[in-house]
Amino acid sequence: YDMTRDAEMSARTFLALARDILPSETDGAILKSVLPRRVGPALRAFIPESMYPATAAEWFAICAEQVSSSAAGDSRLVWCKLMASCAWANADTASTFIAFVDGDKPLEGFKAESGDRWTAAELCAAFSLGDVEARIQAELAADTSDRAKR
């Protein structure tokens, strides 16, 4: 990642290496360090805008596969978080993530948390998917956390 940040390696090369190596990584500490701090920023900051939808959609699929095949714990949680971030790739990934959250398309190992439900609401609004106002009102009624109040 540092080489990508310093323009010594292309983001595409870095993400290809990460794609090839990280799915077989079993050390949760490494995944916790690399996925949110290296892969996520590389996707958001270094991939050309024209390539972002396809690249993020590819990572969304990788994450979904890892969520369903990872043992419960930190590794699965980190893959879930990156999957939520990559759901912004396009309307298809957004719809799939929303279906995972709503349970309409079960994903083994995925249990939607409050943050996932709010991400689903944001995706609905951003991509004009479903009744946004009804979703927000349902979340406000179900979520008593400080995030819901903001």
Side-chain angles (χ1 to χ4, degrees):
Y1 172 82
D2 291 342
M3 291 176 69
T4 298
R5 185 195 62 208
D6 297 339
E8 296 170 5
M9 175 189 293
S10 76
R12 289 174 32 186
T13 301
F14 168 73
L15 290 170
L17 285 169
R19 178 199 62 222
D20 294 344
I21 295 169
L22 292 177
S24 62
E25 180 57 61
T26 58
D27 186 332
I30 290 173
L31 291 173
K32 222 173 182 179
S33 174
V34 175
L35 290 174
R37 294 185 185 127
R38 303 296 190 254
V39 172
L43 282 166
R44 289 186 297 276
F46 300 122
I47 289 294
E49 192 174 322
S50 63
M51 294 177 58
Y52 176 78
T55 306
E58 176 186 20
W59 274 92
F60 180 86
I62 291 166
C63 292
E65 174 63 31
Q66 292 308 304
V67 167
S68 67
S69 65
S70 295
D74 286 347
S75 296
R76 184 181 291 163
L77 182 61
V78 175
W79 284 109
C80 284
K81 299 268 184 231
L82 185 59
M83 180 177 69
S85 177
C86 292
W88 291 91
N90 56 50
D92 290 337
T93 54
S95 294
T96 301
F97 183 77
I98 292 164
F100 291 158
V101 168
D102 292 347
D104 297 337
K105 183 176 182 177
L107 176 63
E108 187 168 333
F110 179 72
K111 182 178 184 300
E113 297 179 351
S114 174
D116 299 319
R117 291 190 298 275
W118 281 110
T119 297
E122 293 166 359
L123 289 165
C124 283
F127 290 98
S128 300
L129 301 170
D131 187 344
V132 176
E133 188 60 35
R135 181 176 282 277
I136 290 170
Q137 292 306 317
E139 276 311 308
L140 286 170
D143 186 353
T144 58
S145 72
D146 66 333
R147 180 176 183 185
K149 293 176 180 136
R150 291 184 256 147

